[in-house]
């Protein structure tokens, strides 16, 4: 299934895409694509529905973040061997974890706001994991069963805040609008091999990232297992898993977003995003 949230920001409704790409309303079946609606039992009920019996959504509504009410937005740093190489960093012995602020999450095509005073706003196409049943101390062999699905994330980053301002990476990762998710969450049964998906990102129509999840240092199942050793993973938590090479920080000289750029990105089988980057005007 491809699960979608659509409508005005903060008032999104749940939906799904049928086999013909028609958006169908799930409001009569589930309150939101969030929390307990993402458990295996709940997803099984949704999969049993005949999409043709659901109301078609008219027009072309805004597509929101594909997961609502995210309480834990966990990110993994330097998790692609080729990205670590471009930054000159050593391969981590264990996953590097940090948090993105859950309230930075926006829809896949919403504007991204460059923060006040930013000089080093950067892009990162990433595979995101959406937790289903979750739990603590999940064995790696059981980790895929704990996942509800996958989606595209742009892990927008402010490198000066992240690297030069001291302390945790979170400073440069959780600014408002820095977490576009979607356009949809694809359930695990539709992804034959999550560790072999093409990934790409363009800035103003020029390809800057062109990679694959096959170069991830720590795969999706291992990350769920590993993170669950340190915290409880709950339904609807999101883990974004790192980026392939081609980020602005890796250019020589580095290249960053100033405002006015259009960024498009996507992952094989998971859809595409398109964002206008706009300067802060508050």
């Amino acid at each position: 299934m491809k699960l979608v949230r659509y409508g005005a920001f903060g008032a999104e409704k749940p939906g799904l895409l049928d086999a013909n790409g028609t958006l169908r309303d799930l409001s009569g079946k589930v309150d939101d694509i969030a929390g307990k609606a993402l458990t295996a039992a709940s997803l099984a009920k949704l999969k049993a529905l005949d999409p043709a019996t659901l109301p078609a959504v008219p027009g072309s509504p805004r597509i929101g973040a594909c997961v609502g009410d995210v309480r834990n937005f966990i990110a993994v740093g330097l998790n692609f061997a080729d990205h670590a190489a471009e930054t000159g960093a050593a391969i981590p012995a264990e996953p590097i974890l940090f948090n993105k602020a859950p309230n930075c999450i926006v829809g896949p095509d919403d504007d991204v706001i460059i923060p006040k005073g930013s000089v080093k706003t950067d892009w990162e196409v990433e595979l995101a994991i959406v937790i289903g049943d979750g739990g603590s101390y999940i064995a790696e062999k059981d980790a895929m069963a704990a996942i509800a699905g996958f989606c595209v994330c742009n892990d927008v980053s402010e490198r000066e805040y992240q690297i030069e301002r001291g302390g945790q990476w979170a400073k440069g990762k959780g600014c408002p609008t820095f977490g576009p998710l979607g356009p949809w969450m694809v359930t695990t049964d539709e992804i034959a091999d999550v560790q072999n998906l093409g990934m790409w990102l363009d800035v103003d129509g020029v390809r800057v990232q062109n990679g694959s999840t096959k170069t991830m240092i720590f795969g999706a199942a291992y990350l769920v297992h590993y993170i669950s050793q340190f915290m409880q993973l709950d339904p609807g938590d999101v883990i974004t898993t790192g980026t392939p090479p081609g980020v602005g920080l890796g250019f020589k000289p580095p290249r960053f977003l100033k405002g006015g750029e259009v960024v498009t990105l996507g992952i094989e089988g998971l859809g595409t995003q398109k964002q206008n980057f706009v300067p802060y005007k508050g």
Side-chain angles (χ1 to χ4, degrees):
M1 287 187 299
K2 293 182 173 67
L3 297 176
V4 183
R5 298 172 71 249
Y6 67 94
F9 184 85
E12 291 91 347
K13 295 181 179 180
L16 63 79
L17 286 186
D18 67 18
N20 298 316
T22 300
L23 178 57
R24 301 280 181 172
D25 181 24
L26 276 174
S27 297
K29 305 298 181 181
V30 67
D31 291 336
D32 198 0
I33 308 301
K36 292 182 179 179
L38 292 163
T39 62
S42 178
L43 291 179
K45 291 178 181 178
L46 295 181
K47 289 175 186 176
L49 296 172
D50 178 359
T53 66
L54 300 171
V57 178
S60 300
R62 168 188 172 270
I63 301 300
C66 57
V67 187
D69 193 28
V70 176
R71 300 184 182 186
N72 217 354
F73 193 5
I74 306 154
V76 184
L78 292 174
N79 193 36
F80 280 65
D82 38 7
H83 172 54
E86 78 169 339
T87 64
I91 298 295
E94 296 188 39
I96 297 170
L97 305 181
F98 59 93
N99 284 87
K100 289 176 74 76
N103 63 4
C104 82
I105 293 173
V106 292
D109 301 327
D110 290 343
D111 289 350
V112 173
I113 301 169
I114 295 177
K116 182 179 180 179
S118 167
V119 294
K120 295 184 179 180
T121 294
D122 204 349
W123 57 82
E124 294 190 13
V125 59
E126 301 201 0
L127 169 78
I129 299 166
V130 180
I131 296 297
D133 288 344
S136 295
Y137 307 112
I138 300 168
E140 187 174 0
K141 67 180 178 61
D142 300 324
M144 290 301 293
I147 297 172
F150 303 97
C151 65
V152 180
C153 174
N154 189 354
D155 177 20
V156 186
S157 308
E158 212 298 344
R159 302 301 188 186
E160 181 189 25
Y161 299 175
Q162 176 190 354
I163 299 168
E164 301 171 37
R165 298 291 294 272
Q168 300 294 321
W169 284 12
K171 285 183 180 178
K173 296 286 190 170
C175 302
T177 72
F178 268 28
L181 291 180
W184 46 70
M185 186 202 81
V186 181
T187 51
T188 56
D189 58 300
E190 292 200 8
I191 304 298
D193 183 0
V194 73
Q195 299 307 150
N196 190 25
L197 301 178
M199 312 169 69
W200 59 270
L201 184 144
D202 295 349
V203 178
D204 289 334
V206 177
R207 183 66 42 95
V208 291
Q209 288 191 273
N210 191 12
S212 170
T213 58
K214 67 185 178 182
T215 67
M216 287 171 64
I217 298 165
F218 305 105
Y222 182 81
L223 289 173
V224 170
H225 154 71
Y226 180 86
I227 294 168
S228 75
Q229 310 306 304
F230 304 100
M231 64 187 77
Q232 178 174 299
L233 294 173
D234 291 329
D237 284 352
V238 174
I239 303 168
T240 190
T241 62
T243 197
V247 300
L249 181 66
F251 277 71
K252 301 186 187 316
R255 175 184 176 186
F256 299 111
L257 300 166
K258 305 298 184 184
E261 299 91 350
V262 177
V263 174
T264 52
L265 58 148
I267 298 177
E268 182 182 354
L270 300 182
T272 62
Q273 301 184 357
K274 180 179 181 180
Q275 296 122 23
N276 294 312
F277 277 68
V278 298
Y280 175 83
K281 295 180 180 179

